[in-house]
Amino acid sequence: MKPTTTDLSGLNEIQREAVRSEEKRLLVLAGAGSGKTKTLLQKIIYLIEEKGVSPSGILAITFTKNATNEMIDRLIISADNSGEYAKKLSDKSLRKPDKDKIRFEYQKKYKWIDGLTIRTFHSFCYSVLRNYGVNEFDNKFRIIGDEKRDEEDELAKHVAPETVFEVKHKLLISACEEPDYLLRLKKYILDYFVDKIHIKKADPKFDHKDNKYFTTLNGTKVRSKSEQYIADWFYRHSIQFEYEPLLNVKDFSFRPDFYIPAANLYIEHISDKSYSTIDKEEQFEKGHLLLVKTYDKMTTDSALFNHTLDRIVKNRLPADYHQTRSLVYKEEFNGYNEEVKDFVAQIMRVTDMIKVENIDLDTVLQHAKADQHERVREFYELAIPIVKSYIAYCTDKSYLDFNDLIIKCISLFRNQEDIANKFRGKFEFLLVDEFQDVNNLQVEMLKLLLTERSQLFCVGDDWQSIYGFRGSNVSYIVDFEKHFEHASVLKLNMNYRSTQNIVGASNEVIRHNKYKIDKDVQASKISEHKIVVYAGGSEEENIQFCCDKIRELNKEGISGEEIMFLYRRNKMFTPYINRFKQERIFVQAKTIHGAKGLEAKVVFILGLKEGTGGFPDIWLEDRIFQVIKKANHDLLLEEERRLFYVAITRARDKLFLITEKGNESGFLKEIPDVYTVKTGLPMRSVVEKVITCPSCYSQLEKLFTFCPYCGTKTGG
């Protein structure tokens, strides 16, 4: 291989091999803290300085705007011999807009950096469509996102005045102008959002053993699904009713199931679990009151049920009874705003998944209708019309969401060969950072840009693939050589970030995953600090431990900026931040997903317990989403384990794992004791130990007459 004049002394042997490689399809598989981004940047410099590649022929793709800026920053620092740029970046008095302006000025100063194309997937597609998209779409399109953009970047120049949520919520309200849709939606909201809560929040007269109830369309709480069915029929037909009214007859008081005031009619609903109604019927006869009985089996046949209630209820209403009521969204969903928001959020995720997986909407609905669960079938019957309306609305308004940017770009390259060839001819080298996060659409776009002469250089770590819920597909990195012809893989196995105990523990955790590429990651840093596992008896004890430990770290000279708290869910940190504010304790805090790519001298990981809301939390993948993309228990658990691995490897020097005594996360058991030190308050004995065996000195409970260990009489 030709000797290089480019300074590669800061790289290890495998990093240098990756930089110099002329393989057409190369994956640099790099563990956490192994310098994969450093290797990618050095590859860019090497191509320009050593191989004479024009900067305009290099396309570097990232996943976030922050990652793009970081890449540009590091290239500028490499070129700025004065060190002034690095000083300005570290200047805390400068705001983000100020630093963005400085970055722009320095980028223009170094023409070779300015000549590079360093973009996110979305930004690249945006640029293509803005300049050439008239052949595929309206090139005056605007970007519609999940939230309004406040960043001053290329995508922010043409932002839609409304968000995806706002549009879908508006379309949902519009769909509710059809009474049937409104009532079906309300029933879904009541059945699968509202009725998840327990009876203790409702009427105290309910004393069911399971503490469950069912909410009817008018908000009444009833005891069974079939009673809900009856009450909803009344509501649909504008018939007022009372549920379980207190009735005083001659011999005793009791509560019949329903009373229709306009018909002076009582209804007693009979189920398989109902007690005998003979005594009640006798009381009705004595009181000369009208009673009819309905049965569970009626509710299974809608035609029979409608006919029955028409006969026994409507025929008994006064001739002038024409109480009609218009159904209005605002009135019907008053008090259920949060539940509706959750429903819309589910539609938003389903829409994204459908686009990423490229599945026809009618096919999705067909699959959903075949599902064995009523909830899934009902969801898609309500959701798909909104998704169709959303797509039509965006087309009409010339909106593109972030998945649309890639979809339309792919379509443009497929349908307009001259445009595709323009970009294929321009970019000789395609470099992709964090390749483990790619989805189907992004890989398809990359393949459309590649030719036999162009080079694909990817860096990533399958052990850090944690965005499956967003559509990323870990198979593209694990099976890289299957997805790209004539591909090669290099492994970076040296971790320069964390101590040997942290690296060793993370290796042992990820070893339990089956679907992965094996790597023998080694630590370059030696330290005596073991990982601290703290198991408090309560959340308050855990918070107190963290407060005490932070103060100790501060005394050691470790500032709050070097201490990071990580957690699975934002709500896990809420009681901690409230206490920290009271005691004027400052730390960094992120969800684990949000901390990807970050590091800190000291890391605390919260919520390491079993069960719902714990870690792992493998019950998040609702069956609703599995209609589009199947995910089994093992695959979900493996992604959760990768998430734990990411959390562990954010720590440079010290790591604290916070759990719950007696309910420790199974992930903690995967870390060998050699890497940890465990602490926590001791549990109290169930029975006080008051006797010591005179022979073997075992502590025994006072009820023992003979020692169970050696047989010696104890005198107990």
Side-chain angles (χ1 to χ4, degrees):
M1 185 174 290
K2 179 184 174 182
T4 177
T5 57
T6 305
D7 184 10
L8 302 179
S9 59
L11 306 181
N12 62 36
E13 183 178 347
I14 302 176
Q15 288 173 327
R16 287 194 291 272
E17 182 182 352
V19 168
R20 292 169 176 159
S21 174
E22 296 183 2
E23 295 285 347
K24 291 296 183 182
R25 310 288 183 261
L26 180 65
L27 169 64
V28 180
L29 196 66
S34 60
K36 54 183 179 289
T37 302
K38 178 182 179 181
T39 304
L40 184 146
L41 293 172
Q42 197 62 61
K43 177 76 172 181
I44 293 174
I45 295 171
Y46 173 81
L47 289 172
I48 296 171
E49 289 190 349
E50 184 66 20
K51 307 300 288 185
V53 177
S54 171
S56 63
I58 298 174
L59 170 62
I61 296 181
T62 67
F63 279 84
T64 67
K65 181 63 178 175
N66 286 337
T68 299
N69 288 340
E70 183 186 354
M71 194 174 288
I72 295 171
D73 288 339
R74 292 171 70 170
L75 288 172
I76 294 173
I77 289 170
S78 73
D80 180 27
N81 294 325
S82 69
E84 288 299 314
Y85 186 71
K87 289 181 182 178
K88 290 178 180 179
L89 281 184
S90 60
D91 188 345
K92 295 180 182 177
S93 67
L94 292 175
R95 298 178 299 114
K96 184 179 180 300
D98 298 326
K99 291 182 179 180
D100 290 342
K101 185 179 179 181
I102 294 169
R103 180 182 298 109
F104 179 80
E105 291 171 352
Y106 270 82
Q107 191 174 345
K108 294 296 181 183
K109 177 181 176 182
Y110 298 102
K111 299 299 183 183
W112 68 273
I113 299 177
D114 193 45
L116 296 167
T117 303
I118 305 176
R119 295 180 179 271
T120 65
F121 276 101
H122 296 124
S123 176
F124 173 76
C125 292
Y126 173 91
S127 179
V128 172
L129 292 172
R130 186 65 72 192
N131 291 303
Y132 303 95
V134 71
N135 295 285
E136 184 64 32
F137 196 71
D138 180 6
N139 65 345
K140 300 297 182 182
F141 66 87
R142 288 180 287 180
I143 301 294
I144 182 170
D146 295 343
E147 54 188 36
K148 291 184 171 67
R149 297 178 65 87
D150 55 5
E151 284 188 79
E152 286 299 322
D153 60 11
E154 189 176 26
L155 273 65
K157 294 175 183 176
H158 300 278
V159 175
E162 47 195 341
T163 65
V164 174
F165 175 86
E166 288 169 343
V167 170
K168 289 187 175 177
H169 190 255
K170 178 169 62 177
L171 294 172
L172 187 73
I173 294 173
S174 179
C176 286
E177 292 176 6
E178 173 59 44
D180 181 64
Y181 185 93
L182 183 148
L183 291 177
R184 285 192 295 123
L185 174 63
K186 187 173 182 181
K187 188 174 185 304
Y188 183 89
I189 295 290
L190 293 172
D191 283 356
Y192 304 115
F193 287 93
V194 177
D195 287 348
K196 287 185 176 183
I197 62 177
H198 291 275
I199 202 70
K200 63 184 179 181
K201 297 182 180 179
D203 197 320
K205 72 183 178 184
F206 291 91
D207 58 356
H208 272 33
K209 292 181 179 179
D210 59 0
N211 288 330
K212 296 286 186 177
Y213 66 81
F214 300 85
T215 305
T216 69
L217 289 173
N218 77 338
T220 302
K221 315 302 184 194
V222 300
R223 300 179 187 275
S224 69
K225 194 73 176 173
S226 54
E227 287 183 340
Q228 181 195 41
Y229 197 68
I230 295 170
D232 287 348
W233 187 91
F234 294 151
Y235 191 78
R236 290 174 184 271
H237 291 81
S238 300
I239 297 172
Q240 291 189 341
F241 68 92
E242 297 175 20
Y243 180 67
E244 293 192 347
L246 181 61
L247 185 61
N248 295 296
V249 196
K250 294 190 176 182
D251 295 338
F252 58 86
S253 300
F254 61 99
R255 293 182 182 273
D257 292 323
F258 296 97
Y259 175 57
I260 315 298
N264 196 24
L265 170 69
Y266 292 90
I267 296 176
E268 191 72 17
H269 184 69
I270 311 297
S271 71
D272 295 337
K273 299 179 181 180
S274 296
Y275 296 108
S276 173
T277 61
I278 294 175
D279 290 342
K280 288 184 181 181
E281 291 177 47
E282 289 178 354
Q283 296 303 310
F284 274 97
E285 289 181 10
K286 291 178 181 179
H288 304 288
L289 300 172
L290 186 60
L291 172 71
V292 296
K293 293 188 288 186
T294 58
Y295 299 87
D296 264 356
K297 60 184 180 182
M298 293 179 180
T299 63
T300 61
D301 187 330
S302 59
L304 172 64
F305 185 76
N306 274 292
H307 176 73
T308 302
L309 285 187
D310 273 340
R311 181 170 51 83
I312 66 175
V313 178
K314 281 190 173 182
N315 288 344
R316 290 184 168 89
L317 293 172
D320 60 349
Y321 187 87
H322 296 293
Q323 184 180 358
T324 59
R325 176 178 45 80
S326 61
L327 298 175
V328 180
Y329 172 88
K330 189 174 182 180
E331 294 178 2
E332 295 298 318
F333 289 95
N334 183 34
Y336 302 123
N337 291 332
E338 291 304 314
E339 288 80 5
V340 171
K341 286 181 182 178
D342 290 342
F343 179 75
V344 174
Q346 288 184 333
I347 296 179
M348 289 169 63
R349 184 177 173 194
V350 161
T351 305
D352 286 340
M353 292 179 71
I354 289 170
K355 290 183 177 184
V356 170
E357 300 299 323
N358 192 26
I359 307 175
D360 179 75
L361 291 178
D362 291 331
T363 302
V364 173
L365 185 57
Q366 185 180 352
H367 290 167
K369 286 181 176 179
D371 196 275
Q372 59 185 312
H373 297 281
E374 181 183 57
R375 179 176 70 93
V376 176
R377 298 193 300 270
E378 289 181 353
F379 171 82
Y380 279 96
E381 286 174 1
L382 292 164
I384 293 299
I386 304 302
V387 178
K388 288 182 176 180
S389 297
Y390 168 76
I391 293 171
Y393 183 93
C394 288
T395 301
D396 185 56
K397 295 287 187 180
S398 296
Y399 291 169
L400 291 179
D401 62 30
F402 289 105
N403 283 316
D404 290 333
L405 285 172
I406 302 179
I407 291 170
K408 293 297 182 184
C409 193
I410 290 172
S411 182
L412 180 68
F413 286 160
R414 284 176 176 168
N415 297 330
Q416 305 291 329
E417 192 72 17
D418 58 329
I419 296 174
N421 287 334
K422 181 180 179 66
F423 286 92
R424 290 169 187 149
K426 179 179 180 180
F427 298 119
E428 300 176 62
F429 296 89
L430 278 71
L431 297 88
V432 185
D433 196 15
E434 304 290 359
F435 188 75
Q436 75 278 350
D437 295 331
V438 293
N439 62 30
N440 302 341
L441 295 176
Q442 291 158 343
V443 170
E444 183 64 25
M445 192 196 72
L446 287 174
K447 288 181 176 180
L448 287 170
L449 286 170
L450 289 171
T451 66
E452 290 185 0
R453 68 178 184 83
S454 56
Q455 185 181 98
L456 176 66
F457 184 91
C458 304
V459 298
D461 182 11
D462 62 301
W463 294 5
Q464 297 186 70
S465 178
I466 59 174
Y467 292 112
F469 68 95
R470 288 185 185 172
S472 68
N473 190 339
V474 70
S475 75
Y476 288 119
I477 189 168
V478 174
D479 299 318
F480 184 80
E481 292 163 298
K482 293 180 182 178
H483 291 289
F484 295 92
E485 293 183 357
H486 313 298
S488 300
V489 178
L490 280 177
K491 299 179 183 178
L492 303 183
N493 293 327
M494 183 59 69
N495 182 304
Y496 296 98
R497 176 188 298 159
S498 308
T499 66
Q500 77 271 28
N501 282 323
I502 295 171
V503 172
S506 64
N507 286 344
E508 288 297 320
V509 167
I510 209 69
R511 184 174 59 81
H512 290 79
N513 275 7
K514 294 179 181 179
Y515 192 55
K516 67 179 188 305
I517 301 175
D518 291 326
K519 297 188 288 289
D520 182 25
V521 180
Q522 302 293 320
S524 65
K525 293 168 62 175
I526 306 296
S527 173
E528 296 181 356
H529 293 298
K530 287 193 173 186
I531 299 167
V532 176
V533 180
Y534 180 80
S538 66
E539 186 172 64
E540 183 56 37
E541 289 178 4
N542 286 345
I543 295 172
Q544 187 61 53
F545 170 81
C546 291
C547 288
D548 295 341
K549 192 56 63 177
I550 293 168
R551 291 192 185 93
E552 288 180 19
L553 293 166
N554 292 158
K555 289 179 181 178
E556 294 173 12
I558 301 173
S559 69
E561 291 183 349
E562 284 288 354
I563 302 172
M564 183 182 292
F565 273 68
L566 299 178
Y567 34 85
R568 187 69 178 77
R569 300 261 182 275
N570 281 312
K571 63 181 181 182
M572 292 178 177
F573 189 59
T574 301
Y576 288 81
I577 188 62
N578 291 338
R579 179 74 174 274
F580 292 169
K581 286 179 179 178
Q582 291 175 9
E583 303 196 16
R584 302 190 177 212
I585 291 174
F586 173 75
V587 296
Q588 302 289 333
K590 295 275 186 181
T591 63
I592 302 171
H593 285 100
K596 181 80 177 298
L598 303 179
E599 60 183 65
K601 191 176 185 66
V602 182
V603 168
F604 290 75
I605 305 175
L606 306 178
L608 291 168
K609 61 182 184 179
E610 288 291 311
T612 303
F615 197 2
D617 192 343
I618 57 175
W619 311 113
L620 298 175
E621 199 61 67
D622 195 313
R623 188 174 180 91
I624 283 173
F625 307 121
Q626 296 210 30
V627 169
I628 303 168
K629 185 178 181 180
K630 298 293 183 185
N632 61 41
H633 176 278
D634 291 341
L635 291 177
L636 294 172
L637 181 60
E638 289 205 356
E639 179 153 325
E640 286 288 295
R641 187 176 283 111
R642 292 196 294 268
L643 189 63
F644 185 47
Y645 171 85
V646 168
I648 292 173
T649 55
R650 298 312 92 194
R652 295 201 302 268
D653 295 341
K654 295 183 179 182
L655 178 62
F656 297 87
L657 307 178
I658 310 302
T659 183
E660 182 181 276
K661 187 177 290 296
N663 193 33
E664 293 86 353
S665 167
F667 287 160
L668 295 177
K669 299 172 185 176
E670 297 173 357
I671 302 176
D673 291 342
V674 67
Y675 299 116
T676 65
V677 57
K678 295 179 174 63
T679 183
L681 297 177
M683 285 188 176
R684 290 174 294 183
S685 299
V686 177
V687 180
E688 188 181 0
K689 296 173 181 175
V690 295
I691 299 174
T692 302
C693 174
S695 296
C696 67
Y697 302 102
S698 297
Q699 287 188 310
L700 309 174
E701 299 165 9
K702 60 183 180 181
L703 56 85
F704 285 101
T705 306
F706 293 89
C707 177
Y709 305 105
C710 67
T712 302
K713 183 175 175 61
T714 64

